[in-house]
Structures are given as C-alpha cells and as structure tokens.
Amino acid sequence: MLTAHTIKILQSLDKKKFRQKYNLFLVEGNKIIRELPDSRFKIKEIFSTDPQKLDRMEAPVTHISENELKKISFLQNPKDSVAVCYLHPEEKTEDKNLQLVLDGIQDPGNLGTMIRLADWFGIEQIICSEDTVDFYNPKVIMASMGSFTRVNIVYTNLTEYLSETGNINIGTDMDGENIYSFERPEKMNLILGNEGNGMRPETEKLLHKSVMIPRFGKSQSTESLNVSMAAGIILGQLFGGSE
C-alpha cells in the first residue's frame, strides 16, 4: 500500500521544481516502461496494478490498487503502471548533421510530438532555449511515446549556441524559400519558434536561410500550421528530397 507521504511526493512531480528537488520524474504505461532498461534512464521503482506484466524488469515493482494508481497518475484514464525514474544529467554531444532547435516552445504536447518526430527521422539531438518547456514534464513524456529515451535533449543559451555552431541555421518564414525546392545543406539546424510569437528577434538575426511551407488550399482563413505539424512536413521533405 502507498503511504500518504509517497503519494504526495509523486503528485508533486508534475512541477519542475519538485522534479529537481527529488531528482525524479514519472513514466506511465507498461509499453514505455519496458523501453527504459535499454535507455540512459535509471528506474527507482515501479508501481503497477498488474506486476506480472513487468516480471522481467530489474527495478522493484510494487503492487497497487486501481484507486492508488489514479492518485499518482497524471492521466485522465490511468494506464497499468507508473515508473519513478531518476533525472539524467544533461550531456551536450557534438553537433549532428541535422538537429532541431526549439526557441521558446511552451506546449508540452508539441515538444513531445517533436521528440517523437526526431526519433522517427533519426535525429539524435534537440537543442532547446532555456525557457522551452521541461522535457521531464509528464505531458511531454507521454506525448513522446518513449522516444525521449532515444533523443538527447539539451537546454542552453540559444543566442550563444547559434552564434558558435558549425551548422547552417535554417528558420521558417512565410517569405522563405519553398521547402519543396529547397536543397538541404549537409549540416543544418532546423529552428522552430514559439507557438504564438515565433522565434525571438535575436534568434532570427542568426539565421542563414529561411524556408516556408506553401499553402495549397484556396481558403486564407488558416493563419498558420501548428509548430509540430510544420516540423513534420519540413522533416518529411528534407529526408524525401535527399534520396
């Protein structure tokens, strides 16, 4: 049985300051939990309504009731298990040939989706501005569907990073080059800005080129694409056009 103290700690992990205080974050659902042993993330313990399904996990598994699961889950319809994991010290690796660079992304669902996209396209590293949503946020972890275990995520001062990178900095702009005729450079950063405001002026100054996704629909009422949708379209074209 879970103690009130444990429940209180686990419930507090939806806030960044408590994740940092306890050095812990939550991963929900057996499917994603099974991916953890092959990743850099270490499991502290697992709470499950059906421990037999996780019998090969090396971490301690505690049997809990459906009601207890509801108390510690951040999902409306909780899955079978919750794993409590240790935060992993951030490691910046050298620049990859293609990286996503996120400037002030605030929506956890967008960040999770872009981590998933990166994983799908084999992009190993995402560089984030310091005010981008924390990737240990439970909603980001859920939206990434396990891809957070395979993509390295780094938070840094973007102006400094983009000034020093050896990659070509490519942003998105309605006046940019048509993505369908754009020639992908050998080493590039694809920079995506905040959902409402786009990228900061100081980020924009460091762009070498801009691309845009042309609109084919006749209606002009669609103002813009969701940032993670735009990322998916651009990445699909960058890889499709490079064959």
Side-chain angles (χ1 to χ4, degrees):
M1 195 173 139
L2 286 176
T3 64
H5 178 65
T6 300
I7 291 169
K8 190 179 174 187
I9 288 173
L10 298 183
Q11 286 175 340
S12 76
L13 297 179
D14 67 333
K15 293 189 171 56
K16 185 178 178 179
K17 67 175 180 181
F18 291 113
R19 289 194 290 274
Q20 290 178 334
K21 176 182 174 180
Y22 298 114
N23 194 41
L24 298 172
F25 73 106
L26 294 190
V27 176
E28 302 200 35
N30 287 347
K31 185 176 180 295
I32 303 176
I33 290 169
R34 283 195 202 97
E35 295 185 39
L36 292 169
D38 298 325
S39 78
R40 61 193 184 279
F41 296 101
K42 192 169 182 292
I43 303 169
K44 179 175 187 273
E45 55 190 322
I46 300 169
F47 299 102
S48 179
T49 55
D50 191 354
Q52 284 181 311
K53 289 189 176 165
L54 294 167
D55 59 351
R56 291 189 186 167
M57 302 296 286
E58 285 176 16
V61 183
T62 301
H63 186 218
I64 59 168
S65 67
E66 296 275 350
N67 196 34
E68 286 175 313
L69 181 67
K70 281 179 187 164
K71 286 179 184 173
I72 62 171
S73 172
F74 295 121
L75 298 172
Q76 270 187 316
N77 300 303
K79 295 183 182 288
D80 26 43
S81 308
V82 170
V84 185
C85 303
Y86 294 103
L87 303 184
H88 188 271
E90 192 173 279
E91 295 169 7
K92 163 81 172 76
T93 62
E94 61 192 36
D95 280 357
K96 307 296 180 188
N97 285 351
L98 178 54
Q99 299 182 139
L100 291 184
V101 176
L102 308 181
D103 186 9
I105 296 296
Q106 294 302 300
D107 182 271
N110 280 335
L111 178 56
T113 301
M114 286 193 276
I115 294 170
R116 208 171 161 189
L117 277 169
D119 185 24
W120 183 264
F121 285 104
I123 295 168
E124 294 169 28
Q125 185 159 260
I126 298 178
I127 309 288
C128 301
S129 63
E130 288 158 330
D131 64 341
T132 289
V133 60
D134 182 29
F135 91 88
Y136 288 114
N137 179 308
K139 290 177 181 168
V140 177
I141 297 291
M142 277 311 301
S144 80
M145 295 300 289
S147 289
F148 74 93
T149 61
R150 292 177 290 275
V151 179
N152 191 38
I153 295 151
V154 179
Y155 288 80
T156 191
N157 179 311
L158 270 200
T159 312
E160 280 177 23
Y161 169 73
L162 293 172
S163 306
E164 293 162 10
T165 177
N167 285 12
I168 306 272
N169 295 327
I170 311 283
T172 55
D173 190 316
M174 286 314 288
D175 298 323
E177 200 178 318
N178 185 327
I179 187 61
Y180 297 111
S181 55
F182 175 72
E183 274 196 43
R184 171 181 158 187
E186 196 181 331
K187 291 176 77 68
M188 70 171 274
N189 293 322
L190 175 59
I191 303 160
L192 298 148
N194 173 273
E195 292 87 350
N197 305 316
M199 64 187 79
R200 294 175 178 82
E202 53 266 41
T203 304
E204 225 164 314
K205 281 180 193 155
L206 296 165
L207 294 183
H208 299 113
K209 286 183 178 178
S210 292
V211 293
M212 64 92 169
I213 301 166
R215 189 203 318 244
F216 293 99
K218 290 190 172 66
S219 163
Q220 300 299 302
S221 57
T222 306
E223 267 186 52
S224 61
L225 288 168
N226 166 290
V227 66
S228 52
M229 285 170 72
I233 293 168
I234 294 169
L235 289 173
Q237 182 56 26
L238 287 174
F239 282 90
S242 65
E243 293 305 309

